[in-house]
Each structure stands twice: as structure tokens, then as C-alpha cells.
Amino acid sequence: MGQPQTLLTPARKPQPGDHIYSTRAGGLYAHSGIYVGNDMVIHLQAPLKGSGSSLKGSGSSSKEIESSSPCQKCGYKRDCQAGIIKTCLDCFLDGRSSFEFYEYGVPIYYFNKKPRGTCCVSPSKPDHEVVERATDLLERKGFGEYNLFANNCEHFAVYCKTGLAFSHQVQGAGLAITEIAEPLGKGLLRTGAILAVPVVCLFAKAITDGQRRP
């Protein structure tokens, strides 16, 4: 632990400092977090639908917020908490039965074979540093507002593990768009961009819909 992690088995129990993720929307994307021990996970949560960057936006009435029942284990209220939050593992999974371990320090050939958002070639910081960084960002709300493409849950978790904020899921989506546009040639690049727009919109909608939950 705290060193390059490879060949992690889904059967093992999470340890403090682990980056874990749960797939959503049939595997289209994954929600990431840092396990900090005692069945708790720190993760970056998107705002409630219609609320923009604020939890008090027009998309959520006070009645809707009041109707949210807090989790009996961790106190999390799905309808009115966003940003960096600390929840129990059950709330992080949001009804799903399993999670996987995000791997660090993997060889480049292994990285290239794996789905984006599951591993990276950078080594992990020691576990205690990962937990300290995640906890510090939670306490001072120091990671900025959620942004699907520039500041999402994977950016947060990878930053806690490596000190660098990036999202391979977002990079993977960009590569997919490039693959659509390139065959059209330079003369049709503008058309290719137009064709790519629906792909971006569908990807963004699927992730945003799911990221409204933990």
C-alpha cells in the first residue's frame, strides 16, 4: 500500500488510502472516492440537478430538501449535499453491490489495455498522506466547485493519490471524439466537430445524471 499498486483483487477489503470506484450507467463511467477507514469514503459530489453550483438553486425547493432522509450510518442527505463530502461506503455505492480498486503505478502497456478511469501509470503517495490530503480538502473545502470536465470526482481522487489532478475518463472521451473527427479530413474538421457534439452531450448527460448521486 502507498506504493505502485498492481494486480489488486476485488475480493480484498479496502484500506485507508485506497482509491475506489463504482461503475454507473452500465459501465459508461465510474464514480471515484478515497477510502479513509471505518467504512467511510471522501469523494467529490456533483450539485443537485437544477441547482447549478449552488444547493439553493431554482431546481430544488425547500420542501424537496426537507424531505430527504439522512443516512442512519453517516448522516448523508442525498438531496442537499454536494462538493467534497464524507459518507459511508453504502452511500458512496448508492445501492450498488460492489466497487473496484483504482490501480497506480501500472506499466504503460497495461494502462493502454484497461478502460479509462480504472488505473494510471503514476505511483501513489503513501497511504497516510492520501488520507491526510483528502481530509484536509474536505475540512477546508479546498478543491473548488464540481465541474464535469475540469474538476470531477476522478480529478479529486487522483489528486489525493498523486498530487496531480486529472481524469482519464475525460481524456478517454476526448480521444473518442478525435477518432470520429480525424477520418473526415482537415477539410471536414468543422463537420466532424458538429458530429461529435451529440457524443459529448450524451456522455455529459449520462455522467451528470449519475453524479448527482454519491
Side-chain angles (χ1 to χ4, degrees):
M1 297 298 300
Q3 299 300 320
Q5 303 171 18
T6 58
L7 302 178
L8 295 174
T9 59
R12 77 173 179 85
K13 293 183 179 180
Q15 300 296 317
D18 279 340
H19 174 174
I20 60 176
Y21 65 92
S22 172
T23 56
R24 309 287 171 90
L28 179 62
Y29 72 98
H31 183 57
S32 290
I34 299 296
Y35 184 81
V36 294
N38 298 318
D39 203 39
M40 302 297 287
V41 183
I42 296 177
H43 48 117
L44 180 59
Q45 170 71 23
L48 185 67
K49 181 179 179 180
S51 64
S53 61
S54 170
L55 294 178
K56 299 180 180 180
S58 59
S60 301
S61 68
S62 59
K63 181 177 180 180
E64 289 174 329
I65 292 177
E66 289 173 359
S67 67
S68 175
S69 298
C71 171
Q72 294 183 356
K73 292 178 65 176
C74 65
Y76 172 67
K77 298 183 70 173
R78 175 181 297 169
D79 295 341
C80 58
Q81 285 182 253
I84 301 177
I85 58 176
K86 184 177 182 180
T87 70
C88 65
L89 184 58
D90 287 342
C91 286
F92 173 80
L93 292 175
D94 192 29
R96 292 156 183 86
S97 60
S98 63
F99 62 86
E100 298 183 62
F101 294 93
Y102 198 108
E103 302 175 62
Y104 285 84
V106 303
I108 187 64
Y109 70 85
Y110 181 84
F111 172 80
N112 288 334
K113 293 192 302 181
K114 296 286 287 184
R116 292 295 180 260
T118 63
C119 62
C120 77
V121 297
S122 299
S124 169
K125 299 288 185 180
D127 293 329
H128 71 278
E129 291 186 15
V130 176
V131 173
E132 288 173 0
R133 175 171 287 167
T135 301
D136 177 65
L137 291 172
L138 169 70
E139 292 176 347
R140 61 185 179 86
K141 305 298 181 185
F143 200 69
E145 293 185 357
Y146 179 93
N147 181 284
L148 175 62
F149 295 108
N151 205 49
N152 64 35
C153 60
E154 188 182 3
H155 285 100
F156 169 75
V158 173
Y159 177 74
C160 290
K161 292 287 285 186
T162 69
L164 300 173
F166 57 85
S167 171
H168 286 307
Q169 291 184 91
V170 171
Q171 293 174 357
L175 290 173
I177 293 170
T178 300
E179 291 175 357
I180 293 173
E182 282 186 346
L184 299 176
K186 293 183 179 179
L188 296 177
L189 184 58
R190 186 173 181 179
T191 303
I194 294 173
L195 291 174
V197 168
V199 177
V200 176
C201 292
L202 288 173
F203 179 77
K205 183 179 186 301
I207 294 183
T208 304
D209 286 347
Q211 290 280 21
R212 294 176 193 128
R213 297 184 173 186

